[in-house]
Amino acid sequence: MKRHVAAIAGLAVAALALSSCATSDAGSTDSEDASGTVRLLGPEDPKVFAPVIAAFEDGHPDITVEYSQVPFDQYATTLQQRLSAEDDTIDVFAVDQPNLAQIAAQGFLEDLSALQSEAKDATSAAQYEINVYDGKMYALSIWNSTQMLFYNKDLLAAAGVEAPSVDPAERWTWEQTAEAGRAAQAAGAESGLLLEQVEAYYQLQPLIESAGGGSGISGPDMLDVDVTDEGWEKALSWYADSFESGLSPRGVGGFQTSAVFTDQKVAFFVGGPWDVGGFAANATFDWGVAPQPYFEGGAEVTPTGSWSWGINTASKNKAAAQEFLEFAALDPAGNLATTEATTIIPANTEAAAEYLPGLEELAGEHGAGVADLITSEIDDTAVARPVSVGYVQFESLINKAFADIRNGADPAERLEQAQSQIEDAWSQLQ
């Protein structure tokens, strides 16, 4: 682990000209008074966290919470710079879950292992484990996610295709979905299928693992890479063909993709719970929700994960910071308040049970069964992204490979290239 920390610090300095990292002082919250001001840093609009801050302050009159926003596209770099400078004006900060291992290894996250039992009881197994690095827990999950298959009933009806069921026991395969999408295209639909985060590991990991591939990261130190096994090649060959054949559209990426569905240009769209609210507000046609597909003969796998919050080791008000963090993550009412102004799943199991029926109600008849579907996916099919100090480099390089494959690169050759690139990037971490 010491080698990993030194290498990560070296890479950060080389990439960002950063100063040396902070060191953890686990357990120091015990001697502090829970009062004063807690400064929270994250990428969300301030209105998102206004409800949880107000609810916390109402029950904790001796503590004030001040939230500062850094735009998402600048957040990771800004956070790294400020933590490396031992910036004590950050007490609690949002942690993009796949990045937790690297941040913890650098010494920027307070050890919260004393809360492990409560954290296990409060959330799903995947959402607990994503916060554990090298045997210690460094953050608490705030939000969770999953993916679903949204479909345009009108386009399917025009093609004579019966819509899929919302029942996970009747989950379609990717092969069925592609066939139905092509039938919709033959009946006039512009495209048959589109994945929301079309070049993202989060979105494609379930396809790869359903096809029999591994996560790509393994080994005792989670620094062995294999993105060339049969499962990876099968999933990425299918993915490449979906664009080559015209089933999926090229030239659309990021979160611009949901508009393709609301504009009635695609029959099937794989997206997240945030889309339920968006489609309820903007879709003017008949639509519905079904489970995310899987490959015939393969495993039923869905993605999970979102944001956790942790405490800065340089904070000078750790006791109050922990009070706020526990309220936002472990108290169902507090965790529910973090979702009051957004359509994202609370990570707290009790909070989710209260939240999801409201999400279903928001969508009306279009979202019938979505609450039970999301609950089932979180419990039964969710697979988190791997916890590794090398994940940041891995994700960056593999997402570039996905983009190239989408645009016509040979899947097997491009995966071999990505394998070499990741091995080179990780050589300093070994």
Side-chain angles (χ1 to χ4, degrees), residues 50-75:
V52 68
I53 290 172
F56 176 76
E57 290 179 341
D58 186 56
H60 300 79
D62 294 332
I63 304 175
T64 300
V65 179
E66 295 179 356
Y67 174 65
S68 297
Q69 178 196 14
V70 176
F72 178 78
D73 59 354
Q74 303 169 30
Y75 184 72

Side-chain angles (χ1 to χ4, degrees), residues 148-151 164-167 276 287-291 363 366-370 373:
M148 297 162 281
L149 180 68
F150 295 89
Y151 56 86
S165 169
V166 73
D167 185 352
V276 174
W287 57 277
V289 182
H366 303 295
V370 74
L373 171 60

Side-chain angles (χ1 to χ4, degrees), residues 121-123 329-333 335-336 346-357:
D121 292 341
T123 192
L330 302 180
D331 186 321
N335 192 233
L336 191 62
N348 184 287
T349 303
E350 289 185 40
E354 186 172 343
Y355 172 85
L356 289 172

Side-chain angles (χ1 to χ4, degrees), residues 59-133:
H60 300 79
D62 294 332
I63 304 175
T64 300
V65 179
E66 295 179 356
Y67 174 65
S68 297
Q69 178 196 14
V70 176
F72 178 78
D73 59 354
Q74 303 169 30
Y75 184 72
T77 300
T78 300
L79 180 66
Q80 183 72 214
Q81 290 172 336
R82 292 180 63 179
L83 294 177
S84 296
E86 301 186 33
D87 186 346
D88 62 10
T89 65
I90 303 171
D91 297 305
V92 177
F93 61 93
V95 182
D96 196 1
Q97 289 177 343
N99 300 345
L100 179 137
Q102 177 174 321
I103 298 171
Q106 290 177 281
F108 299 149
L109 281 165
E110 191 74 11
D111 181 1
L112 300 176
S113 298
L115 300 175
Q116 280 183 298
S117 179
E118 294 171 75
K120 279 183 179 180
D121 292 341
T123 192
S124 67
Q127 279 299 291
Y128 162 74
E129 291 165 2
I130 197 70
N131 297 312
V132 177
Y133 168 68

